[in-house]
Amino acid sequence: MSSVARRIGKAAAITLIAGTVGGAALLAAEAVVARSRRYAKPGLGLALRTTVGADNATPLRLVMLGDSAALGVGVDRVADTVGGQLATLLSGGESGKGGPVQAVALSSVGVAGSRSSDLATQVARCLLGDRPDVAVILVGGNDAITLRRPADAAAYLGAAVRRLREAGVEVVVGTCPDLGAARAIAPPLRQVVGFLGRRVARAQVRAVHAAGGAVVDLAAETGPVFRADPNTLSVDRYHPSADGYRVWAYALLPSVAHAAGVTPRLP
């Protein structure tokens, strides 16, 4: 059983919309179906570092932290991940210091299945060697479906943001996405995990602001697109597709570009 399936199964313990034994039984049955599904797994190639743009230029260093979204689970090419699409949009943009950004050095220390409590290890890894200029954190979904208290999850996230800011790294956080758009989960369980995700996202916004980071509410800004367009999800109907990651990248772009001091190159 995949880690995603196990986490979705735990969400069935919440009976927010199950006021009767029959309602609880329905949630339990849907959790069994969700657990039996096959979910996308991380592609080995997506963990590698890459540089977008001219190799001989001093690069803008962009690092991704978090869960499967930071790795791009659901797609086969680095260019289709959130980080890859952000790197492409930033490469060739105009730097506030004068002249173009000729290269973006992209790396990821994210781990599929991570919760906010796992960020401390990822922060330590990304601060080894050359410090990143901008860190993008995508986390929260696994906190929601494993029933982590939103305040606890947000506290771990806030601590990670604060540590990065103290190291001189600009930080942009994409909150827990709209789990209610995941077609791999049947209603009414889908509505339950969507509710849990929104609680986590609200706590994340407060924690990130308090820690000095920038935050983008992915559920609010991109949830309607995911709900309306099934092509934003990969074949497992849970993780985003290349189109879905593109939607996220464009939602994150203004905050990431501002943090990097770059006017991005738009197609």
Side-chain angles (χ1 to χ4, degrees):
M1 185 189 305
S2 74
S3 60
V4 171
R6 287 195 297 269
R7 287 170 169 79
I8 290 175
K10 290 182 181 179
I14 294 294
T15 56
L16 297 173
I17 58 174
T20 65
V21 173
L26 177 59
L27 285 177
E30 289 175 353
V32 170
V33 173
R35 286 197 300 268
S36 67
R37 294 184 62 85
R38 297 182 64 181
Y39 295 89
K41 297 181 179 180
L44 294 177
L46 300 185
L48 300 178
R49 295 173 180 268
T50 188
T51 298
V52 177
D55 289 336
N56 61 347
T58 300
L60 170 73
R61 296 185 179 89
L62 174 67
V63 64
M64 308 294 296
L65 300 89
D67 54 27
S68 57
L71 290 174
V73 174
V75 298
D76 299 321
R77 302 190 311 153
V78 174
D80 290 331
T81 67
V82 172
Q85 298 193 57
L86 285 171
T88 298
L89 292 167
L90 294 171
S91 177
E94 291 296 323
S95 169
K97 299 178 181 179
V101 177
Q102 296 183 8
V104 177
L106 171 67
S107 62
S108 175
V109 294
V111 178
S114 290
R115 297 182 298 186
S116 297
S117 56
D118 299 310
L119 289 174
T121 300
Q122 295 184 25
V123 169
R125 288 176 57 198
C126 82
L127 292 179
L128 292 173
D130 294 332
R131 297 290 171 89
D133 297 300
V134 181
V136 176
I137 303 177
L138 301 173
V139 76
N142 294 309
D143 291 292
I145 60 180
T146 56
L147 311 183
R148 175 61 61 93
R149 289 182 65 247
D152 292 343
Y156 282 113
L157 174 60
V161 173
R162 190 171 295 106
R163 185 176 174 190
L164 287 166
R165 293 294 296 122
E166 289 173 350
V169 180
E170 298 290 338
V171 184
V172 178
V173 173
T175 66
C176 178
D178 183 7
L179 299 177
R183 291 166 176 81
I185 309 171
L189 184 57
R190 188 189 302 171
Q191 282 71 33
V192 171
V193 296
F195 171 81
L196 296 173
R198 289 192 295 274
R199 292 177 66 224
V200 170
R202 287 194 293 269
Q204 287 179 315
V205 170
R206 294 190 293 269
V208 173
H209 283 157
V215 62
V216 177
D217 189 336
L218 289 180
E221 295 201 17
T222 70
V225 179
F226 276 78
R227 288 176 181 249
D229 184 1
N231 291 322
T232 53
L233 297 176
S234 65
V235 292
D236 70 0
R237 301 200 297 169
Y238 183 82
H239 294 95
S241 64
D243 287 342
Y245 282 129
R246 185 176 302 111
V247 172
W248 282 0
Y250 273 93
L252 292 163
L253 181 61
S255 293
V256 175
H258 178 77
V262 173
T263 301
R265 175 176 60 86
L266 298 176

